Amino acid sequence: MAQVEKRGGLLRKSSASKKPLKEKVVLMYDEIFMTEDPSKCSPRFWEELFLMKVNLEYLEGKLESLDGEELMKIKDNINCLFQHCIQALGEEHPIRVVNALQTLCALIRGVHQKNKSTSGFDIINMLMGFDKAELCMKNLMESLDSLLCAEGSESLKSLCLKLLLCLVTVTDNISQNTILEYVMINSIFEAILQILSHPPSRREHGYDAVVLLALLVNYRKYESVNPYIVKLSIVDDEATLNVSIWILEQYKDKEEEHQSGFFSALTNMVGSMFIADAHEKISVQTNEAILLALYEAVHLNRNFITVLAQSHPEMGLVTTPVSPAPTTPATPLGTTPPSSDVISSVELPLDADVQTSNLLITFLKYSSIVMQDTKDEHRLHSGKLCLIILTCIAEDQYANAFLHDDNMNFRVNLHRMPMRHRKKAADKNLPCRPLVCAVLDLMVEFIVTHMMKEFPMDLYVRCIQVVHKLLCYQKKCRVRLHYTWRELWSALINLLKFLMSNETVLLAKHNIFTLALMIVNLFNMFITYGDTFLPTPSSYDELYYEIIRMHQSFDNLYSMVLRLSTNAGQWKEAASKVTHALVNIRAIINHFNPKIESYAAVNHISQLSEEQVLEVVRANYDTLTLKLQDGLDQYERYSEQHKEAAFFKELVRSISTNVRRNLAFHTLSQEVLLKEFSTIS
């Protein structure tokens, strides 16, 4: 018997036969692409079509091969196929439903590919006809909603989500995809939440569901009322918890696979949330979608920020049924701590298996990896998104109360970039500290590791803003944080030195005085209000010591900004602001330096020790005069629409393109589905 080969919908014998034989489904597609109604000659045509295994490649290829005029001639048959697909979604036989879902995917993609240059309204007309579009889409969305919420096949749910992702991402700019108006009117928000609330469904479909929600939230978000934004912003703790649990579970099964180095530490607590393999580079484009979902949840819904701080039973972590709200400082007015479990305040053991963790720790660890490499555009986007999320957290009262709570301490093993001049910190030496220390460590790590030719100015500005917002909270609530502030001060001074030594190169691309002013004002914040939030009087003394020790850097900065502020160039105003901001730092240097020199001369000491300098500082505070500077503890709150709209538009476009590219034919394969439904009666 001659062997049968299959290519592009054709069946042919490999021996003598010359005329290729087409699959029956391909013959049926060909009938649809005629101008006649295929059911005229064959009344059972549509019924039989959905029993045939779909040939996605042939159907999409056929649609793409026709020009606009040819496509319009068969519009009625395309409309008819679209409507019969929707009818088939209500069938009892799963095979019909599967074939209808896959046919819809091919139809939507094929027609969109053909009509890239035309308006969305033409697409709607071509697929279902203007007069029937509203009813068609209502029926389609209701059927998809039912299939997603039913207790049936997980494979069917997967295909429904793939179809929805296909529908959402057919255009590069999702806000130009007019079909989504019907997805707004016929919301599937509750169905997405239900998937995330059911553990088996969450494990199986969590990624697709979360990415779908993130994309839908971004449809015309600044132009009209988006129901997905409204619903996400008011959803309760339990539902937001389900989203976070999915993120924690996403790669939990991979814990056993990779047990080496830093990645082992990452997986031991919360599973590889974002890391695919210990030896692979991070899949940044995929991560952008998850980060976007996390950002939308944090930005739109206060409840989600409270969820960030909670430990979760899926992680096998220590929790206590009842625990007081954060006590240091007192929970600010107008905020309510979450009613569900909060983290045990017991000192945490070193054994990673019993280490308490939460989504915020996972996020901080992930950020420490992403933010180390910002040369690639996608990684730059991810790093920026991490800093925007941290900005939202740093502005939130409850998040700050939790971050600064002395009764809740954690070991957070952040990734540190290998550098020649510093030793690798031993994991076992990590101290237990309030989580804000890890946030500050992350910011310090970014500051010291990104002084490079391709200077990421925007990320540096955001980094300094996060530190400033945390300091404003500490000043306002009088939180005396036991942190190694010297590391921050040293990093900031080194950053100023970098800006000065690369003045010419950097000024060609950036206004470095904006960043310099922010750094100087952080020091002014410590000088003016440090006595209210630094942990001890000696910490305040150390601040003065560090300023005096590094006085040459501040003197050089003053010389640079004075030179530019007295010229009539473009930087005159920006440099002048830094000149005025340096008044107290210069007063400290000019007040203490002569006294230190005098002390050294009187005692015949060529080089004073730190303790001797501190002795001089403590003895001469009384005669120091400083100017009161206004607005140091004020900041402009984060606003997406006014400042970040262009970034998010481009980010969503990138994610949409990536999702569409990954919805390849093999992801819509029927093999698994056919096995699952092989017992059809």
Side-chain angles (χ1 to χ4, degrees):
M1 185 177 176
Q3 190 178 355
V4 176
E5 294 179 7
K6 178 182 171 185
R7 284 181 188 165
L10 302 178
L11 294 173
R12 69 178 178 82
K13 290 182 180 177
S14 57
S15 61
S17 178
K18 291 181 181 179
K19 190 176 180 181
L21 301 172
K22 290 187 176 182
E23 290 177 76
K24 184 171 180 182
V25 73
V26 169
L27 291 169
M28 296 181 85
Y29 290 155
D30 287 345
E31 287 188 58
I32 294 169
F33 286 95
M34 304 292 182
T35 52
E36 292 291 319
D37 179 356
S39 63
K40 272 187 180 178
C41 300
S42 176
R44 291 173 57 83
F45 179 87
W46 299 111
E47 193 177 333
E48 289 178 11
L49 178 66
F50 296 111
L51 287 173
M52 303 287 164
K53 182 178 176 181
V54 177
N55 188 323
L56 283 163
E57 191 173 1
Y58 185 84
L59 185 52
E60 279 195 52
K62 190 78 175 175
L63 285 164
E64 288 177 37
S65 70
L66 301 176
D67 62 31
E69 197 175 320
E70 289 172 321
L71 207 57
M72 282 306 295
K73 285 179 183 175
I74 60 161
K75 174 186 160 305
D76 290 345
N77 282 357
I78 300 253
N79 290 173
C80 210
L81 175 58
F82 198 88
Q83 288 164 32
H84 278 92
C85 283
I86 295 169
Q87 286 174 24
L89 295 181
E91 294 274 357
E92 287 184 13
H93 292 299
I95 288 296
R96 290 184 191 277
V97 178
V98 167
N99 289 331
L101 286 167
Q102 294 200 318
T103 304
L104 283 168
C105 282
L107 264 180
I108 292 164
R109 292 203 305 193
V111 172
H112 263 284
Q113 277 294 112
K114 191 68 213 163
N115 289 268
K116 272 189 172 177
S117 59
T118 63
S119 71
F121 292 103
D122 292 336
I123 304 295
I124 293 171
N125 191 33
M126 182 56 64
L127 285 172
M128 50 199 126
F130 289 134
D131 54 336
K132 296 176 183 170
E134 195 169 330
L135 182 60
C136 266
M137 287 303 297
K138 180 176 182 290
N139 292 337
L140 173 61
M141 296 307 294
E142 284 177 356
S143 294
L144 292 175
D145 188 81
S146 298
L147 289 166
L148 288 171
C149 294
E151 291 185 4
S153 157
E154 294 302 326
S155 296
L156 264 184
K157 289 181 184 179
S158 176
L159 207 47
C160 287
L161 288 167
K162 292 271 189 278
L163 172 59
L164 285 162
L165 284 169
C166 174
L167 190 67
V168 171
T169 62
V170 282
T171 55
D172 288 343
N173 182 350
I174 64 168
S175 293
Q176 290 176 353
N177 184 356
T178 323
I179 294 179
L180 291 190
E181 283 298 325
Y182 300 108
V183 183
M184 296 294 120
I185 296 165
N186 304 284
S187 173
I188 50 158
F189 182 83
E190 286 74 17
I192 294 172
L193 278 194
Q194 185 168 319
I195 284 172
L196 293 170
S197 68
H198 188 234
S201 288
R202 184 167 65 229
R203 281 190 290 273
E204 190 78 25
H205 314 297
Y207 180 82
D208 283 350
V210 167
V211 172
L212 177 63
L213 183 58
L215 289 170
L216 289 171
V217 162
N218 279 276
Y219 175 72
R220 296 187 178 173
K221 69 193 304 188
Y222 310 122
E223 301 155 36
S224 59
V225 178
N226 180 322
Y228 292 87
I229 291 178
V230 175
K231 291 181 179 185
L232 183 59
S233 67
I234 60 173
V235 80
D236 63 10
D237 275 347
E238 186 180 354
T240 53
L241 183 64
N242 290 324
V243 179
S244 68
I245 288 174
W246 169 76
I247 295 174
L248 292 167
E249 285 180 339
Q250 177 63 5
Y251 295 109
K252 194 157 182 10
D253 293 339
K254 299 204 175 190
E255 284 185 28
E256 292 78 25
E257 293 177 29
H258 314 297
Q259 295 294 332
S260 60
F262 168 70
F263 292 93
S264 173
L266 196 58
T267 55
N268 278 340
M269 294 190 202
V270 285
S272 298
M273 169 182 172
F274 299 98
I275 314 304
D277 190 287
H279 306 293
E280 287 178 3
K281 284 191 173 182
I282 302 161
S283 175
V284 176
Q285 284 181 297
T286 301
N287 296 340
E288 283 179 350
I290 301 303
L291 275 179
L292 179 65
L294 183 60
Y295 162 75
E296 295 294 358
V298 167
H299 179 233
L300 294 172
N301 192 319
R302 263 202 79 262
N303 289 326
F304 199 86
I305 289 184
T306 68
V307 170
L308 285 173
Q310 298 173 47
S311 58
H312 307 293
E314 276 81 356
M315 297 157 60
L317 302 172
V318 182
T319 57
T320 49
V322 180
S323 182
T327 54
T328 311
T331 306
L333 292 173
T335 64
T336 50
S339 56
S340 48
D341 296 353
V342 285
I343 294 160
S344 168
S345 61
V346 181
E347 277 279 306
L348 302 173
L350 274 170
D351 184 357
D353 293 332
V354 292
Q355 166 85 313
T356 303
S357 188
N358 55 49
L359 181 54
L360 187 53
I361 291 175
T362 308
F363 172 67
L364 290 173
K365 290 180 176 184
Y366 170 64
S367 298
S368 72
I369 299 169
V370 167
M371 286 163 56
Q372 69 173 314
D373 181 6
T374 57
K375 290 170 187 169
D376 171 81
E377 184 186 8
H378 290 291
R379 288 169 183 261
L380 186 67
H381 282 171
S382 291
K384 181 172 178 174
L385 204 41
C386 287
L387 284 167
I388 290 175
I389 292 168
L390 284 170
T391 300
C392 294
I393 290 169
E395 288 183 4
D396 184 82
Q397 287 278 50
Y398 176 76
N400 266 310
F402 170 76
L403 285 172
H404 290 86
D405 195 326
D406 259 344
N407 297 316
M408 296 184 187
N409 296 314
F410 305 87
R411 288 186 177 89
V412 183
N413 188 15
L414 298 175
H415 183 64
R416 286 162 62 87
M417 193 184 289
M419 297 179 81
R420 281 177 295 178
H421 62 272
R422 68 179 182 187
K423 292 180 181 178
K424 185 181 183 297
D427 295 350
K428 63 183 180 181
N429 294 330
L430 289 171
C432 264
R433 301 174 299 171
L435 263 185
V436 69
C437 295
V439 179
L440 289 167
D441 283 349
L442 181 61
M443 298 302 98
V444 169
E445 179 67 15
F446 180 83
I447 291 167
V448 299
T449 56
H450 288 77
M451 297 180 220
M452 57 183 77
K453 189 177 176 183
E454 291 298 319
F455 190 69
M457 173 64 81
D458 179 60
L459 300 192
Y460 266 104
V461 167
R462 293 173 193 279
C463 178
I464 302 299
Q465 284 173 339
V466 169
V467 175
H468 180 234
K469 287 170 183 181
L470 293 173
L471 291 182
C472 288
Y473 177 83
Q474 290 167 25
K475 180 257 176 184
K476 176 184 173 185
C477 297
R478 294 182 172 264
V479 180
R480 295 191 181 276
L481 183 69
H482 288 271
Y483 181 70
T484 49
W485 291 110
R486 269 192 172 180
E487 288 185 10
L488 174 64
W489 299 332
S490 174
L492 293 172
I493 292 168
N494 284 331
L495 178 54
L496 283 176
K497 287 163 74 175
F498 176 82
L499 294 178
M500 288 183 283
S501 60
N502 294 276
E503 175 193 345
T504 310
V505 176
L506 292 176
L507 275 178
K509 297 180 181 178
H510 311 288
N511 176 2
I512 61 171
F513 302 108
T514 303
L515 184 59
L517 180 64
M518 293 171 72
I519 296 167
V520 170
N521 278 338
L522 276 188
F523 278 102
N524 285 331
M525 184 97 175
F526 281 105
I527 293 165
T528 309
Y529 302 118
D531 60 328
T532 66
F533 63 82
L534 285 172
T536 60
S538 63
S539 302
Y540 195 73
D541 301 337
E542 286 168 8
L543 167 68
Y544 277 64
Y545 173 79
E546 207 60 32
I547 291 170
I548 295 161
R549 186 176 73 87
M550 300 302 293
H551 73 89
Q552 194 62 55
S553 297
F554 291 109
D555 290 344
N556 292 345
L557 176 63
Y558 182 74
S559 298
M560 182 181 90
V561 293
L562 189 64
R563 165 170 49 85
L564 288 161
S565 63
T566 51
N567 294 338
Q570 69 177 110
W571 305 116
K572 180 179 172 70
E573 188 180 346
S576 181
K577 288 179 182 177
V578 183
T579 310
H580 293 130
L582 280 164
V583 60
N584 280 343
I585 291 174
R586 285 179 51 73
I588 290 168
I589 293 167
N590 293 334
H591 176 74
F592 286 106
N593 264 0
K595 291 179 169 51
I596 290 167
E597 288 167 11
S598 172
Y599 179 93
V602 168
N603 293 282
H604 307 290
I605 304 171
S606 59
Q607 194 168 358
L608 298 184
S609 68
E610 180 177 337
E611 193 47 52
Q612 288 168 326
V613 172
L614 288 171
E615 187 183 327
V616 176
V617 167
R618 291 185 192 109
N620 289 280
Y621 273 134
D622 293 348
T623 52
L624 173 66
T625 305
L626 298 175
K627 288 188 177 180
L628 187 63
Q629 293 173 308
D630 294 329
L632 292 175
D633 59 343
Q634 305 295 316
Y635 59 81
E636 185 181 354
R637 291 189 67 84
Y638 171 76
S639 171
E640 179 190 317
Q641 185 169 352
H642 298 108
K643 294 196 172 179
E644 310 294 349
F647 166 70
F648 281 102
K649 184 179 177 182
E650 191 53 43
L651 182 69
V652 172
R653 181 189 289 267
S654 168
I655 292 167
S656 178
T657 304
N658 192 52
V659 169
R660 183 175 67 241
R661 190 184 300 126
N662 289 331
L663 282 172
F665 291 117
H666 69 273
T667 66
L668 300 171
S669 168
Q670 275 188 321
E671 289 178 18
V672 175
L673 297 154
L674 288 170
K675 283 180 186 175
E676 190 173 335
F677 304 131
S678 59
T679 56
I680 293 177
S681 53

